[in-house]
Amino acid sequence: MIKPAISFTTIMITCMSVSWSQMVPEPRATEVWGKEPLKITPSNNGGAPSDAIILDHASWESVNGGANKWTNDNGVMTVNPGTKDIRTKKSFGDVQLHVEWRIPILDAKFVDQDRGNSGVFLQQFYEVQVLDSYENKTYNNGQTGSLYKQHIPLVNATKPAMEWQSYDIIYTAPRFSKNGTVISQARMTVLHNGVLIQNNVSLTGPTVYIGAPSYEAHGNLPIYLQDHDHKVSYRNIWVREL
Ligand code: MG
């Protein structure tokens, strides 16, 4: 009798192994290879990672268009009251922004919104409030870490005056259609002194003091820091474009 080249048993085992491998996929089937994420060098202690843009005193200008008139003392930039807000010379869209700030010692007569007020404005319009909220009552949606008059912070993680504090902000810019309608609202996540205080919340429009906000279409815009007449200081500001 002539023996077949492949036995019946071999065929059966092969069929069984194919169907078994189809039922239980290889781990490799869900692995993604190819273009790798950009390798960057992180920093210790809140310093800028290697792909960040450092926003030092020279990176800012007055909102009036002239030079930055805030004071600069060894990398510490302080509001020079009455000289108006400052804005980055460069415009930004989606970003990760790190800002360190410090409230000065103020007389007890300064209360409510008139106590260590400043602010970080993403794309010029959307404010993360800076205020002395350590022992200073104000409306909840205007305290430090609020997205002014839109979102109350989840907790009050404030340190006392003269201590350095930090914001780490993840900002997604609003998207607009060609005819100017809103496709998606601006969104923000904020950590205050390392604590989550705003969790990917949506903004209903630009920050406004009175009334309801409403969007107007815009592209990339500068980051602003607010002069609200108090000598709030800033240092170690860096931004990553997303
Ligand atoms: Mg403010």
Side-chain angles (χ1 to χ4, degrees), residues 113 116-121 127-131 142 148 226 228:
Q113 290 288 303
N117 197 332
S118 182
V120 181
F121 285 73
E127 183 184 19
V128 183
Q129 173 71 302
V130 170
L131 193 76
Y148 187 78
Q226 185 183 44
H228 205 292

Side-chain angles (χ1 to χ4, degrees), residues 64-178:
N64 297 329
N68 180 358
K69 296 182 183 67
W70 290 17
T71 62
N72 183 21
D73 181 14
N74 272 333
V76 175
M77 191 165 66
T78 302
V79 175
N80 188 359
T83 61
K84 305 289 185 191
D85 299 355
I86 57 172
R87 67 184 175 211
T88 52
K89 293 173 183 173
K90 180 174 165 56
S91 291
F92 296 95
D94 300 349
V95 293
Q96 173 185 353
L97 176 65
H98 177 87
V99 179
E100 295 176 19
W101 50 274
R102 186 182 64 189
I103 304 289
I105 298 288
L106 289 161
D107 190 279
K109 72 180 181 184
F110 294 104
V111 295
D112 197 347
Q113 290 288 303
D114 191 24
R115 188 168 184 85
N117 197 332
S118 182
V120 181
F121 285 73
L122 282 297
Q123 288 199 310
Q124 177 175 332
F125 295 127
Y126 313 100
E127 183 184 19
V128 183
Q129 173 71 302
V130 170
L131 193 76
D132 183 355
S133 288
Y134 191 69
E135 286 177 351
N136 174 40
K137 282 222 173 298
T138 189
Y139 41 95
N140 298 332
N141 58 355
Q143 72 175 73
T144 207
S146 65
L147 305 189
Y148 187 78
K149 288 200 171 172
Q150 294 197 42
H151 291 284
I152 299 164
L154 296 169
V155 291
N156 180 354
T158 305
K159 295 179 180 178
M162 289 311 289
E163 286 196 28
W164 283 103
Q165 313 199 39
S166 65
Y167 280 154
D168 287 283
I169 301 167
I170 315 298
Y171 174 73
T172 305
R175 299 323 197 234
F176 301 97
S177 68
K178 279 194 178 133

